[in-house]
Amino acid sequence: MQQVTFGLIGGGTVGGGVHQALQRNGALMASRLGIGLTVAKVAVRDLTKARAAAIPAGLLTDDWRGVVQDPAVQVIVELMGGTTTAKEVVLAALRLGKPVVTANKALLSTHGPELFAAAAKHGANLYYEASVAGGIPVIKVLRESLVGNRLISVHGIVNGTCNYILTRMKLEGAEFADVLADAQRLGYAEAEPSLDIDGHDAAHKTGILASLAHGFWVKPGQIHTEGIRGISKLDIQFAARLGYTIKLLGVVKQVPSAKRGRPGPCPPIQVAVYPALVPDTHVLASVNHAFNAISVRGDVVGDTLFYGRGAGAEPTASAVLSDLADAALDLKHGSHNRVPCFVAHSGDGCVVPMDDVVSRYYVRLTVVDRPGVFARIANLLAKARIGISSIIQPEGHAGETVPVILMIHDAPNAAMKRALAQIAKLSAVKDAPVMIRVEPFE
Ligand code: NAP
Ligand code: HSE
């Protein structure tokens, strides 16, 4: 049987998971592919470190260059993370004409155009199924399965850590800091947790999905990004009372002209990451813990949903193995760039600035309960031509500080921010207003 030999650069959570999964299912894969997959070496930083996954000492090395340059190693699997040395690894392999598999969404987001250009120049494929949504094969879905569709919208819960934190805050009333520590212990969180909780990891993934869906490279700076640091248990509870669940969403959608604050030059899309109120009736509201889900609407297929474990050793290993299988088959059949990844098929696209995006909002104000306060707030919103659709104010005692929840009709983001900045200056308004978008899934 033909053999394909690969080198793992990184033997941590994902690298260890890949090694273990191949131990378990390598023979099964070989029988399915007609190709045996063999790991030649596993490069790590610290040879003395205790490892959760038992990688034989004979496979370990601290010399990644030696692995990349070894003529017997045909495929490089980059699982080290980061954007500096990882970029060197990927470029070094591509320049040698070696296919590369990576799970590194930060690397792709930051240096994607350069890496894909190097892959094309050197006739080597670059595979990245594990970079978005762990074990869910959504890259292949957008790249191949839905190729006959114009993609109207993609809504994704694509960060397992945030979804895990928000789920436990809702179901158990847990505190943010405690559940973050658990996500780290379970191997979901990035080495630098702010990548997760400030929305950057979700933005890296959403940018990759947007680029695939719309055929032009969406730059990280074009993706409006908010994380979940500002989400409190109070907001989760009020949202539940109103029939919503708060989720961190990656959103890629065509913006109808009626939903834009002002006209623009090209067919516009919105690409953004933010916590949103998801109606409890929508399937994404019940995607819990570290599970991810991506709902994709195509003009031919209609609505589709892809669900699975979005983080952790095994789900991510499953996606890496799928790429390894593709790499092995492409080597066997000599196919390069079989399915082009970011070839512009719709010309240069246009990402709508977030300020122009129109949506509904949940707003929580912390106000002193005294006569006239609400009239002043309503007056400022009315002057900005912003309509209130409902109000909740739990009964309190006069003079006390109380939360006021406003549900707001469609309004442009910029107008909403300006109005809230004015409301925040009122003497009766204590604390910064909280504003969370309501996702309509229209
Ligand atoms: P990790 O547990 O921190 O593992 C990183 C590995 O890279 C470690 O084995 C480390 O060596 C090695 N490494 C770091 N610098 C190195 C260097 N200069 N030379 C050789 N080896 C080096 O990270 P991870 O969670 O497996 O994540 C790996 C990648 O997968 C990241 O890009 C991440 O974003 C992505 N990803 C992770 C998940 C997940 O759930 N964890 C899911 C999808 C994608 P030591 O072991 O000696 O420190
Ligand atoms: N830190 C990432 C997450 C890992 O929590 O989703 C999977 O990409």
Side-chain angles (χ1 to χ4, degrees), residues 163-164 167 171 245 247 284-292 307:
N163 204 41
Y164 179 82
T167 302
L171 299 184
T245 298
K247 295 288 183 192
L284 289 183
S286 44
V287 173
N288 284 329
H289 298 286
F291 278 82
N292 282 193
Y307 170 83

Side-chain angles (χ1 to χ4, degrees), residues 64 68 76 88-100 122 124:
W64 67 260
V68 171
I76 293 299
E88 273 188 71
V89 170
V90 172
L91 285 177
L94 293 174
R95 284 178 187 137
L96 290 169
K98 297 189 182 189
V100 173
H122 298 283

Side-chain angles (χ1 to χ4, degrees), residues 9-15 43-47 49 51 62 64 78-82 85 103-105 130 134 187-191 201 310-313 316:
I9 312 295
T13 302
V14 182
V44 294
R45 189 170 27 203
D46 178 0
L47 288 170
K49 191 167 163 180
R51 298 182 185 281
D62 57 5
W64 67 260
E78 183 280 305
L79 300 173
M80 72 196 314
T85 313
N104 194 334
K105 54 270 170 168
Y188 305 148
E190 298 299 309
D201 175 79
T316 315

